[in-house]
Amino acid sequence: MRSTLQFGRFNYPWRGDRVRARVMGILNVTPDSFSDGGQHQSLEFAISHAEQMILDGVDIIDVGGESSRPGAPPLPLAQELQRVMPVLYALRDQGPAISVDTYKPEVMREAIIAGVDMINDINGFRAPGAIAAVRDSDCGLCIMHMQSDPQHMQLAPSYSDVVAEVTAFLRERIEALTAAGIDPRRLCIDPGFGFGKTVEHNYALLKATGQLIAELGVPLLAGLSRKSMVGAVTGKPVEQRMAGSVGGALAAVAQGALIVRVHDVAETVDALKVWQAGTNLQR
Ligand code: 9MG
């Protein structure tokens, strides 16, 4: 039975008695809208944000240059490379695992040369050339489900059975990647909260965390930090969703999620430490 997630320089047990849930910190490298400092300033800001996450106990830093918020337009390749590559090179030897959030095969290739440990693809490695770009590396691969694309995904999300359809999609992508020769121990799955889903779809998937892991046999990453599904339950605007997001992360981990993708690293790390100290996490 496969029981470790193997990615780049790292190896996480995800079944058995040595399991510890891991925190992936979100590092968006987008131009600083409050200054005209340009590229250099956004690089400095990203590095100091990453340094704080490291002090806070982050396990993986997920570096992204293109926004995937509902309605966000695609970012040209050259601009994405210009934003993320200096950050990947600067962070690669700082301790935590480094992930790049991209669906573009060209960015995947450059990031692998820079030495990233994980590729986080919201498009599930469906772009032509994406599988070829990652096949011969040792990077971990996060396969996320998304209905439609970021510009259109929240216009009218529709499923007849969201859990069955997301499971079928993820199964098909696991098969496509392993058929290309990729070691299944490099894979993790993600239901893609908020990516072409209503609040009801999101909670149906969150409640199905254990079922997804059991049916697909790979570890699961959950990303619900500050998303509208948290706001829908708490009634809070985005800047007041930290506690709700920590609650959602614990709900996912309690059902077997291995990695939680979050903005609030310090709070999530503390919550997981206490939760784990009071739980027998055996899978
Ligand atoms: C980039 N990105 C934004 N939200 C995400 C989520 O929920 N999961 C993953 N894997 N990536 C995400």
Side-chain angles (χ1 to χ4, degrees):
M1 191 197 289
R2 296 186 297 267
S3 56
T4 56
L5 171 63
Q6 296 184 1
F7 64 111
R9 298 163 292 169
F10 297 83
N11 195 329
Y12 293 167
W14 65 277
R15 280 199 276 229
D17 55 6
R18 291 181 306 124
V19 177
R20 175 172 72 77
R22 310 290 168 147
V23 174
M24 170 185 264
I26 299 167
L27 187 63
N28 291 323
V29 192
T30 47
D32 179 358
S33 50
F34 300 105
S35 81
D36 59 2
Q39 191 69 23
H40 181 66
Q41 198 151 341
S42 52
L43 175 62
E44 276 188 9
F45 182 77
I47 304 295
S48 72
H49 184 190
E51 284 167 354
Q52 185 60 53
M53 290 200 274
I54 294 168
L55 292 173
D56 292 340
V58 78
D59 295 293
I60 307 168
I61 300 178
D62 190 36
V63 180
E66 175 174 323
S67 171
S68 54
R69 276 169 204 229
L75 183 70
L77 170 64
Q79 264 177 275
E80 187 173 337
L81 286 169
Q82 205 179 15
R83 287 183 188 179
V84 301
M85 291 313 299
V87 179
L88 298 179
Y89 278 105
L91 295 183
R92 146 86 196 189
D93 292 318
Q94 299 305 310
I98 305 301
S99 163
V100 64
D101 151 22
T102 189
Y103 57 85
K104 297 189 183 89
E106 298 86 346
V107 179
M108 295 176 188
R109 286 186 188 279
E110 291 297 320
I112 288 166
I113 292 168
V116 298
D117 301 289
M118 181 181 282
I119 314 271
N120 173 27
D121 185 354
I122 62 167
N123 195 37
F125 300 89
R126 285 179 290 171
I131 294 181
V134 300
R135 183 179 46 216
D136 299 327
S137 72
D138 63 357
C139 282
L141 306 172
C142 179
I143 310 167
M144 202 195 77
H145 173 271
M146 167 170 59
Q147 188 177 76
S148 183
D149 59 60
Q151 272 188 292
H152 308 98
M153 64 192 182
Q154 290 309 105
L155 297 180
S158 157
Y159 302 83
S160 51
D161 180 337
V162 67
V163 174
E165 289 172 48
V166 169
T167 305
F169 171 87
L170 293 171
R171 190 189 307 282
E172 187 278 321
R173 296 317 299 154
I174 291 169
E175 283 167 8
L177 286 153
T178 51
I182 291 172
D183 187 333
R185 289 173 296 187
R186 292 172 56 197
L187 306 180
C188 67
I189 49 163
D190 183 338
F193 297 119
F195 285 82
K197 286 148 194 123
T198 63
V199 169
E200 290 72 27
H201 295 143
N202 288 321
Y203 280 101
L205 287 164
L206 180 55
K207 288 181 194 160
T209 297
Q211 184 185 327
L212 283 166
I213 298 166
E215 285 194 21
L216 298 172
V218 284
L220 184 143
L221 183 154
L224 48 76
S225 180
R226 298 187 188 170
K227 288 187 179 172
S228 57
M229 65 186 285
V230 176
V233 169
T234 60
K236 297 278 174 68
V238 68
E239 64 281 4
Q240 292 172 29
R241 292 183 189 158
M242 188 266 284
S245 301
V246 172
L250 292 182
V253 170
Q255 297 174 81
L258 177 68
I259 301 172
V260 285
R261 184 177 181 276
V262 307
H263 296 88
D264 301 296
V265 170
E267 293 80 1
T268 311
V269 166
D270 281 357
L272 281 170
K273 278 183 183 163
V274 175
W275 182 83
Q276 205 133 358
T279 314
N280 291 320
L281 189 56
Q282 290 261 3
R283 292 174 180 154

